[in-house]
Amino acid sequence: QAQYLSLTESIKGRHLERDAAIFDRRIFAPEARLDKAGATATPEERQRRFVDGVRAWLIKAQAGGDASDAFDAMERTVLLYRDGLDGGLLTDSDTRTTVQLLGDPALRNFREMSARVSQRERQLLQKLDLGRQRAALGGPYFWFSLVCQAIEQGVARLINGYNRHALPLVELPRASAEEKGRYEAWLRERRVVKQPPHKVRYVTTAFTALHFLDDDPLRDREVQERFGPELLQRLREDRRRLFRRVFGTYPLHTRPRDRRILNLYRTYESWLGGGRALFIPLRFAWATLRQSGRFLYWVGRCIREIRNPQPEAEIDAAAEADYRTAVRKIQRMRGPVNEACLTLRARFDPEYLGLCLPRAERCGLEGAGVDVDLRFLEARPELAQYIDEERARARDDLRRLGRLVEGGLLERAAERIGVDVEHFGAEHLRAVAAAYVGDLQHLRRNLSALEILDEVYTRAATKDPLPAFRLPRPRLYAKFRRYWRMHGKGDRRAAQAAWRATLHNVRGAGDALRTWALLGLDAKRLGELTLAELSRHPERITDQLVTLRAVQTLALIDVLNYREHIFNLGRYEDSQDDPGDLLTPPIEGENGT
């Protein structure tokens, strides 16, 4: 920490112009289409305003956006981005995006208002906290802390080694024979003869954490001019080795074949055959003792390395791993946060799913939607399937909402709040769509309970019934029987499929059934009242939606920064590793290319 570890935050700031282009495509351009006054600004002008705003915040705290604006998407994004810069790259302080996801008032309000985010899901979100361990085993904090500690310990050893032995060129003629010999041996053999700590002194204090956590050409040129090209070459090699080791893995293909495969017959002969089963408890006891001894030896070696820090001499076997291995480790650290942001946004932002809002001709997020992010993250098939289900659900919701809008829903809402319906512009429609798809304050189920049940049950009758729950649900089943007697369609098999869909709450069928049973025809009236109140202040939903888009984009930028930086520091290009599209920003051209 005393060697400027936290200053790695400056690495993020180098990509300010690139990040401005990402934010413009994903946030500023869609907002400009809603604002007639801002629609005349070019992308370059919007990006320049963002860059100037961030740089102004780096110099001093700013007063904020224009006081006449109800909500300034640019100012909110600048604040979130500037806050993200406070987390040093590759350090345990790089937790700002997760802090915003869990603690930002706008996002907390979104989750609290939505009936689609359960209490259990809110608790599971807390396990994504990178600031402290919240899960018993595993989780992103586990991998994040391990990687950060490994890097910090490795850099500490390198700093000590270089500052103890690296002689500046101007001091070489005046150095003693012992100092020269130790320096040349250190450069040549890359090993340091152990000496008592009180007999070893730093010969320079020029090397800091930034020399090993960054590959700034100007800093490397300074090292070459001050210490010579041979030491610069060693520094680059040690830097490469450090990151290859931390972000690598043990190459199992180098182990003997008989230790990489499971031979059931040989296992039986070794453990069970010939009466060996009687000795299994003894063998397990002996194996436990051996593992305990290995663990104690490993702890002792770690303590010795911390007490007598020395640079690593040999290239670890883990350094043989390719760049894909490093990407997988980055995914373990930052992937869960990205998936949480992506799934949360998919629930509230139908435009993100590539769908058009009622009375709109385009979604406004072409080239910056969920499909681009799934490819960028190389998402799991389960996540892609979840997004397909969310897209299908949101498509049905928007179709249903469109019928309500054409039936005079907005006119009745405008009349209730005492405004002219012409006052309802594009921002109102987007706020209404986000509130309906996200089921804010039970809006979706209240307005369309019967329609939802009819759609879900009709679809369920054409498919195989879902698995049944073991625990009985008598109260819910009583509601279902009452509904089926009044509105049910089909035979006994259709009724069974509909009941199973209710149990699994397919597309909110269980919630809609409870609303129908509790409120009946009054549900739609309550829904219209709720819609009128939400339409009174659409900028509040805009605030929450823009914040969600910005935090989700920041999570993607974090992954991009890690991928780029580790690719450069690990010098994977020298080993002919092709990153493919892993280093491509998560945006596409206007035509989708």
Side-chain angles (χ1 to χ4, degrees), residues 67-300:
S68 63
D69 294 338
F71 171 73
D72 190 345
M74 179 77 69
E75 178 65 19
R76 172 58 58 87
T77 307
V78 167
L79 283 171
L80 289 169
Y81 186 81
R82 174 63 186 89
D83 181 71
L85 292 180
D86 279 340
L89 199 65
L90 301 169
T91 69
D92 56 9
S93 65
D94 193 13
T95 62
R96 301 308 306 163
T97 301
T98 310
V99 168
Q100 292 296 343
L101 171 64
L102 300 179
D104 188 280
L107 299 187
R108 290 174 64 90
N109 199 40
F110 231 162
R111 295 194 293 267
E112 293 294 335
M113 291 175 62
S114 174
R116 297 196 60 194
V117 183
S118 65
Q119 181 63 29
R120 174 171 172 77
E121 288 178 308
R122 298 189 192 103
Q123 294 173 353
L124 291 176
L125 274 177
Q126 298 302 317
K127 294 184 178 181
L128 301 179
D129 189 358
L130 296 179
R132 58 175 175 164
Q133 181 74 17
R134 290 182 179 269
L137 295 173
Y141 173 83
F142 176 78
W143 295 104
F144 177 71
S145 60
L146 282 182
V147 167
C148 290
Q149 291 174 23
I151 289 177
E152 290 175 3
Q153 292 293 337
V155 170
R157 289 195 294 268
L158 290 171
I159 292 173
N160 276 278
Y162 275 72
N163 284 337
R164 287 181 176 182
H165 301 93
L167 292 175
L169 294 177
V170 296
E171 295 182 11
L172 279 176
R174 304 192 302 270
S176 64
E178 181 183 0
E179 286 181 331
K180 287 183 180 179
R182 187 165 61 248
Y183 175 53
E184 292 173 358
W186 176 71
L187 279 178
R188 183 176 59 255
E189 301 294 338
R190 302 197 176 180
R191 287 184 179 273
V192 180
V193 179
K194 290 186 178 181
Q195 296 185 16
H198 65 276
K199 292 186 178 181
V200 179
R201 297 291 183 269
Y202 291 133
V203 297
T204 181
T205 57
F207 293 94
T208 67
L210 296 178
H211 285 90
F212 305 100
L213 293 178
D214 192 13
D215 60 345
D216 182 34
L218 296 178
R219 191 180 296 111
D220 286 356
R221 188 181 306 123
E222 179 187 4
V223 171
Q224 180 175 356
E225 293 174 354
R226 187 172 178 181
F227 294 92
E230 189 176 1
L231 188 138
L232 176 61
Q233 179 61 30
R234 164 157 188 182
L235 185 146
R236 288 174 173 171
E237 183 61 27
D238 284 338
R239 194 161 56 198
R240 184 193 74 86
R241 182 185 298 110
L242 171 66
F243 281 88
R244 288 284 189 122
R245 177 172 58 84
V246 172
F247 288 92
T249 187
Y250 188 86
L252 294 178
H253 65 276
T254 62
R255 304 186 69 179
R257 177 176 172 77
D258 61 339
R259 300 184 64 184
R260 288 186 283 122
I261 62 176
L262 175 63
N263 188 316
L264 296 178
Y265 177 75
R266 187 172 60 192
T267 301
Y268 170 80
E269 287 293 328
S270 300
W271 287 85
L272 302 175
R276 294 182 179 88
L278 298 175
F279 298 96
I280 287 180
L282 295 177
R283 298 182 69 174
F284 270 113
W286 174 244
T288 302
L289 290 175
R290 290 181 60 187
Q291 292 298 327
S292 300
R294 290 177 180 176
F295 175 75
L296 293 175
Y297 172 78
W298 176 79
V299 171

Side-chain angles (χ1 to χ4, degrees), residues 474-486:
R475 297 177 63 182
L476 184 62
Y477 186 64
K479 296 181 178 65
F480 174 76
R481 289 188 60 186
R482 176 181 157 204
Y483 169 86
W484 196 258
R485 285 195 302 267
M486 298 175 61

Side-chain angles (χ1 to χ4, degrees), residues 97-102 107 110-111 116-117 121-130 140 331 333-348 352 370 373-374 377 379-380 383 386-387 390 548-549 551-553 555-556 559:
T97 301
T98 310
V99 168
Q100 292 296 343
L101 171 64
L102 300 179
L107 299 187
F110 231 162
R111 295 194 293 267
R116 297 196 60 194
V117 183
E121 288 178 308
R122 298 189 192 103
Q123 294 173 353
L124 291 176
L125 274 177
Q126 298 302 317
K127 294 184 178 181
L128 301 179
D129 189 358
L130 296 179
Q331 180 68 14
M333 295 189 300
R334 319 298 298 199
V337 176
N338 269 276
E339 290 187 6
C341 292
L342 189 146
T343 55
L344 191 65
R345 184 176 174 186
R347 295 184 184 183
F348 301 110
Y352 182 56
V370 66
D373 295 350
L374 290 174
L377 295 173
R380 299 174 290 108
L383 180 60
Y386 172 83
I387 293 302
E390 282 294 320
L548 178 58
R549 289 179 174 181
V551 171
Q552 192 258 336
T553 302
L556 295 173
V559 172

